[in-house]
Amino acid sequence: VFEEVQVTIPEEMRDGLDGEYLEALKEILAKDPRPAYQRKQERIYGLTYGEYNVRFKASPHQIIVLSVEALNEQKDLSERTKK
């Protein structure tokens, strides 16, 4: 049984996200999706959920979301940097 952690998603990142998506993302992050062998607090972790790439930092009892970016925006950005 895993102990759930507190999840903080800054208000500016919540704007524009569907309520159901936001609640599901909080549930996923509350279960601390970091690999068991990687528990470094200074590391930035990421996951893809739905159409978004989510980056976050974690401590033993809290996860703080740093960014939520649409995957199609990242693709556009990476294509522009290749030119």
Side-chain angles (χ1 to χ4, degrees), residues 2 5 31-47 55-60 62-63:
F2 292 98
V5 297
K31 294 178 180 9
D32 195 354
R34 297 177 293 166
Y37 60 89
Q38 289 183 346
R39 297 293 172 164
K40 296 180 180 177
Q41 291 185 29
E42 65 277 359
R43 183 180 173 119
I44 296 175
Y45 296 90
L47 63 85
R55 299 275 181 215
F56 61 93
K57 288 187 95 167
S59 65
Q62 182 180 29
I63 286 181

Side-chain angles (χ1 to χ4, degrees), residues 53-68:
N53 190 29
V54 180
R55 299 275 181 215
F56 61 93
K57 288 187 95 167
S59 65
H61 303 288
Q62 182 180 29
I63 286 181
I64 300 172
V65 174
L66 303 173
S67 68
V68 178

